[in-house]
């Protein structure tokens, strides 16, 4: 069980598409809401779409908040996707919702600007700030698929692995230790998105070193 990729089931809208993408790259994931499965995972994936309040309520009702925190605190491989990234921060402007508080920062609504549609929906580029095992073989500036009205913001530039421009420059991929989280949807992002998942699975299973730039303080 310790080499199993577990996808956390809390009724996230992209749950099945994330699991299918992981299955496609050979991970054979277990979809589960059981704290014991989270504790025994070899790699853990938190998907998510929708509102921050719904996400936190569903995690709380299933008794998953502390198992997730404990898993990440142990320095084990973790991937957050879309709302799975936003939930890791301290607070979201969406309903003034307290989040998991695992990473420093908050979640903010895109500001109103002429010609800027919200939500940010469609293909956009991600620029990598440093090399990382999950980005191997994916050129900086590659296109990924986004759907979100709120974006992450952090006072700690050391946890920013990738950045995207949409009216402002925001951190679209965060990394610290064996934790990686992306605002985009790799499962909807074609070949590069599948490579991102494959890279994460290989990194988790091989126990490859954490890049110095992403090492936990």
């Amino acid at each position: 069980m310790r080499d199993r990729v577990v996808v956390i089931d809390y009724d996230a809208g992209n749950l099945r598409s994330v699991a299918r993408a992981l299955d496609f790259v050979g991970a054979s994931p277990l979809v589960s809401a059981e704290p014991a499965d989270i504790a025994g995972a070899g790699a853990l994936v938190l998907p998510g779409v929708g509102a921050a309040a719904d996400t936190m309520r569903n995690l709380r009702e299933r008794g998953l908040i502390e198992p997730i925190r404990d898993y990440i605190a142990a320095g084990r491989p973790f991937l957050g996707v879309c709302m799975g990234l936003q939930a890791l921060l301290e607070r979201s402007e969406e309903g003034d919702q307290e989040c998991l508080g695992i990473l420093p920062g908050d979640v903010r609504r895109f500001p109103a600007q002429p010609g800027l549609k919200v939500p940010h929906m469609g293909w956009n580029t991600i620029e990598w700030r440093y090399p990382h095992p999950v980005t191997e073989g994916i050129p900086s500036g590659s296109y990924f698929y986004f759907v979100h009205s709120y974006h992450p913001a952090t006072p700690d530039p050391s946890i920013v692995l990738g950045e995207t421009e949409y009216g402002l420059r925001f951190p679209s991929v965060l990394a610290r230790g064996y934790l990686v989280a992306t605002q985009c949807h790799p499962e909807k992002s074609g070949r590069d998105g599948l490579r991102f998942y494959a890279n994460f699975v290989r990194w988790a299973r091989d126990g490859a070193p954490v890049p110095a730039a992403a090492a936990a303080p």
Side-chain angles (χ1 to χ4, degrees):
M1 183 61 201
R2 280 286 176 178
D3 65 346
R4 193 71 178 268
V5 176
V6 174
V7 181
I8 300 172
D9 182 0
Y10 66 101
D11 290 338
N14 63 338
L15 171 68
R16 300 301 169 188
S17 58
V18 168
R20 283 195 299 269
L22 287 164
D23 192 54
F24 184 85
V25 301
S28 300
L30 172 66
V31 176
S32 177
E34 295 297 325
D37 290 331
I38 291 174
L44 190 62
V45 180
L46 179 64
V49 293
D54 292 340
T55 294
M56 295 306 300
R57 183 182 66 251
N58 289 342
L59 291 174
R60 189 176 303 109
E61 288 176 351
R62 288 162 173 77
L64 297 175
I65 289 179
E66 289 310 314
I68 292 170
R69 284 176 171 156
D70 290 346
Y71 178 96
I72 293 172
R76 297 163 65 192
F78 179 93
L79 174 63
V81 179
C82 194
M83 183 56 68
L85 177 152
Q86 295 186 6
L88 298 173
L89 296 168
E90 295 166 301
R91 183 166 293 276
S92 175
E93 285 185 352
E94 189 177 17
D96 191 26
Q97 174 64 49
E98 182 179 350
C99 297
L100 292 170
I102 291 166
L103 295 176
D106 55 11
V107 182
R108 304 173 185 176
R109 185 171 175 84
F110 281 109
Q113 296 184 43
L116 186 76
K117 294 182 179 180
V118 177
H120 170 212
M121 183 167 61
W123 295 88
N124 205 342
T125 58
I126 299 179
E127 302 285 342
W128 311 127
R129 296 186 68 241
Y130 57 85
H132 192 286
V134 299
T135 68
E136 185 178 344
I138 306 173
S140 187
S142 293
Y143 280 85
F144 289 83
Y145 192 81
F146 291 82
V147 182
H148 60 123
S149 298
Y150 294 77
H151 66 88
T154 177
D156 185 357
S158 73
I159 68 171
V160 179
L161 171 57
E163 294 180 310
T164 296
E165 190 84 29
Y166 192 69
L168 50 79
R169 195 165 182 85
F170 68 91
S172 50
V173 184
L174 301 178
R176 188 176 70 185
Y178 276 105
L179 177 153
V180 177
T182 176
Q183 181 62 70
C184 73
H185 288 273
E187 70 278 3
K188 296 182 178 179
S189 300
R191 180 181 61 187
D192 286 332
L194 291 174
R195 179 166 290 180
F196 189 94
Y197 279 125
N199 286 346
F200 170 75
V201 171
R202 182 172 61 252
W203 182 48
R205 287 182 171 169
D206 291 351
V210 174

